[in-house]
Amino acid sequence: MSDLTEERSGTLSEAMERGHLFAEACPSRDVLKHLTSRWGLLVMIALLSGTHRFSELRRKINGVSERMLSQSLQWLEEDGMIDRVSYPVVPPHVEYSLTPMGREAAEKVRALADWIEVSMPRIDAVWAEKRRKAD
Amino acid sequence: MSDLTEERSGTLSEAMERGHLFAEACPSRDVLKHLTSRWGLLVMIALLSGTHRFSELRRKINGVSERMLSQSLQWLEEDGMIDRVSYPVVPPHVEYSLTPMGREAAEKVRALADWIEVSMPRIDAVWAEKRRKAD
DNA sequence: CTGTATCCCCTCCGATACTG
DNA sequence: CAGTATCGGAGGGGATACAG
């Protein structure tokens, strides 16, 4: 066996039979999907720095289309991760922010994203090594 | 976790312009995709408890097809997350385990998955409340 | 036991155009 | 400014059959 993490408190992932994620048609799959989706992940991380308007998110998240930004925001709002506040003015003014629960999720998501960022050099090295062997 | 990463050195996710994940066509997107894919995530979590054979993973991860398990394992192996050791015997015997780097990634992934598991009751409550209002 | 090969559906996601 | 509607491509992923 390995470290304590599993034996002491790792009853969640360890007990796969009981975990929702290992069940086939489970709503937790959808939540995970929204959080880790192409744009959902970036939305969550972006909102960690505070409330944003739609257009602010659009500018900040380079490459996202209006369609997908809107879609991602709706998913995450339905999951209770994001608060959407619309001010009935002209022109429209809508603000998005993380709920307390959303902030917790966003921090987990960011931990994963940050790990990948800092680990990319190592991963690149793996790829380079494989290419070298392939020759 | 949850420590200094945010306030002190939170320049990673904060500096979106510079982060790989915010670039459009970046290999780090692929790594993230593999780690959070439907089955890749479950493979990583399963391997946290130690080395597994192909058929062991297949049994443990309920619902995965041979095709997708094989595919997911190959992706993660190419990314340097998984070690594949094949013993040339009859019948074939292949063992999969996490690399040191893979273990780091798996722990981040598990942290997110576990958070979702324990938070599902809260998320369900959100959905229930929305349905109540919809009436 | 450990996979590959083939077929095919389905959903994500981008592009474009339109609305309040 | 903040979206929605529609079309269409690409690829993830399942079912089945086959192979080493």
Side-chain angles (χ1 to χ4, degrees), chain A residues 53 55 66-67 70 74 84 92 94 96:
Chain A
R53 300 183 58 171
S55 51
E66 291 176 354
R67 181 194 191 296
S70 176
Q74 283 178 29
R84 178 184 183 276
V94 181
Y96 294 94

Side-chain angles (χ1 to χ4, degrees), chain A residues 35 44 48 80-81 98-111, chain B residues 2 6 111-112 114-116 118-119 122:
Chain A
L35 285 174
M44 295 297 284
L48 265 179
M81 302 294 158
L98 292 174
T99 62
M101 187 166 72
R103 173 165 285 271
E104 293 177 20
E107 275 157 7
K108 306 292 183 187
V109 164
R110 180 170 66 175
Chain B
S2 77
E6 304 166 18
L112 176 59
D114 282 354
W115 181 87
I116 292 180
V118 304
S119 303
R122 279 195 287 169

Side-chain angles (χ1 to χ4, degrees), chain B residues 9-28:
Chain B
S9 61
T11 34
L12 261 179
S13 303
E14 203 58 31
M16 298 189 153
E17 332 62 39
R18 312 202 55 209
H20 293 160
L21 284 170
F22 287 84
E24 299 220 19
C26 176
S28 64

Side-chain angles (χ1 to χ4, degrees), chain A residues 53-68:
Chain A
R53 300 183 58 171
F54 188 86
S55 51
E56 288 172 340
L57 287 171
R58 185 134 161 63
R59 274 191 300 275
K60 202 159 186 175
I61 303 174
N62 201 342
V64 67
S65 64
E66 291 176 354
R67 181 194 191 296
M68 288 317 298

